[in-house]
Amino acid sequence: MKTLVVAATFPEVSGLCEHFLLKEGRLMYTPNFDVLITGVGMTATAFALGSTLNSSYSQVLNLGIAGTYQRSIPLGTLVQVTQDIFSELGAESPAGFLTIETLGFGKSHFQEINPEVPFQTDLQQVNGITVNRVHGTKESIKETKDRLNPDTESMEGAAVFYACEQTGIPCLQIRSISNYVEERNTATWEIGKSIRNLNAWAIRFLTIA
Ligand SMILES: O=C(O)c1cccc(C(=O)CC[C@H]2O[C@@H](n3cnc4c(=O)[nH]cnc43)[C@H](O)[C@@H]2O)c1
């Protein structure tokens, strides 16, 4: 069975697509894996996976760049996000943030599911959050650190884990750290390096898998 590679944008997986001679599209096919470009964010990801994910896939590999809250992680480092949270899902109250669990309407915490990794990975395992709004002010970053103490932040990860939990399909999320979560300054982001490192890892994974 095939692996479904899921990325928000084509540039994030352009290196692997070039390596495997895939012409840019929304869904690209090979004999061993397909590549799905969802668009940025949870809604686009949920729609794309809802339309594409089925039991013909043996696992989902979510690839992308991400921000980190941990200054000890150098930009360009690859991490394995093993837990991911819809961090904004809930309600504000004068007493603080109320999670969707507290409200009794569902869950916000999701995990990777039994991924098949075809080689020994020494990637650091981290806890991620998934956001609609990239954090970019001291106040919101402090509130998020105090509440959840996450390692990383993306705009899709928890939505991928959600779809895989719903379908019972194993999944793995590998992110390459492009930036620190800090007051917004995209001049300090290392997008090129993070994407190169991500694609080199993915080519090895998909060649051996
Ligand atoms: O500007 C570019 O060249 C460029 C090339 C490829 C991708 C991008 C993106 O901005 C992709 C958006 C993607 O990045 C994730 N991301 C990265 N850092 C963060 C963050 O600090 N907080 C939340 N999300 C982040 C996210 O998953 C987006 O899908 C630009």
Side-chain angles (χ1 to χ4, degrees):
M1 288 209 286
K2 284 178 160 185
T3 295
L4 182 63
V5 178
V6 176
T9 67
F10 181 77
E12 288 167 284
V13 288
S14 57
L16 81 86
C17 290
E18 198 175 315
H19 178 87
F20 290 106
L21 305 175
L22 302 179
K23 190 167 161 278
E24 180 172 354
R26 193 190 73 85
L27 184 56
M28 293 160 272
Y29 300 94
T30 83
N32 298 325
F33 64 89
D34 297 340
V35 181
L36 174 67
I37 307 297
T38 60
V40 169
M42 299 173 231
T43 306
T45 301
F47 179 79
L49 281 171
S51 324
T52 309
L53 187 57
N54 61 55
S55 58
S56 71
Y57 293 107
S58 60
Q59 67 175 343
V60 169
L61 171 61
N62 182 204
L63 298 175
I65 60 174
T68 184
Y69 288 79
Q70 308 296 351
R71 286 277 164 182
S72 60
I73 302 181
L75 299 185
T77 301
L78 297 188
V79 295
Q80 179 176 353
V81 182
T82 55
Q83 176 188 269
D84 213 320
I85 304 173
F86 292 110
S87 63
E88 301 151 335
L89 190 58
E92 291 180 351
S93 86
F97 184 78
L98 304 175
T99 63
I100 202 77
E101 286 86 350
T102 303
L103 297 175
F105 293 134
K107 59 182 268 195
S108 56
H109 290 53
F110 293 85
Q111 272 84 34
E112 73 171 14
I113 306 171
N114 305 324
E116 295 163 21
V117 183
F119 50 80
Q120 188 68 34
T121 157
D122 55 0
L123 301 183
Q124 184 177 344
Q125 300 197 345
V126 299
N127 296 323
I129 61 170
T130 298
V131 296
N132 274 314
R133 182 160 61 171
V134 175
H135 285 103
T137 67
K138 283 186 181 143
E139 295 73 25
S140 71
I141 293 167
K142 180 176 183 324
E143 188 280 328
T144 302
K145 275 184 175 170
D146 290 348
R147 185 160 60 85
L148 295 165
N149 192 27
D151 299 309
T152 61
E153 171 179 300
S154 80
M155 301 176 79
E156 301 83 21
V160 176
F161 282 177
Y162 175 91
C164 291
E165 183 174 297
Q166 289 291 311
T167 51
I169 295 177
C171 57
L172 176 64
Q173 180 183 171
I174 305 295
R175 295 265 166 189
S176 188
I177 301 302
S178 53
N179 60 283
Y180 295 109
V181 178
E182 60 186 1
E183 279 196 327
R184 187 167 176 80
N185 176 12
T186 51
T188 62
W189 288 34
E190 293 216 19
I191 291 177
K193 180 181 181 183
S194 59
I195 290 179
R196 277 194 299 280
N197 292 352
L198 180 67
N199 280 264
W201 184 93
I203 289 167
R204 185 160 162 254
F205 180 99
L206 293 165
T207 302
I208 299 172

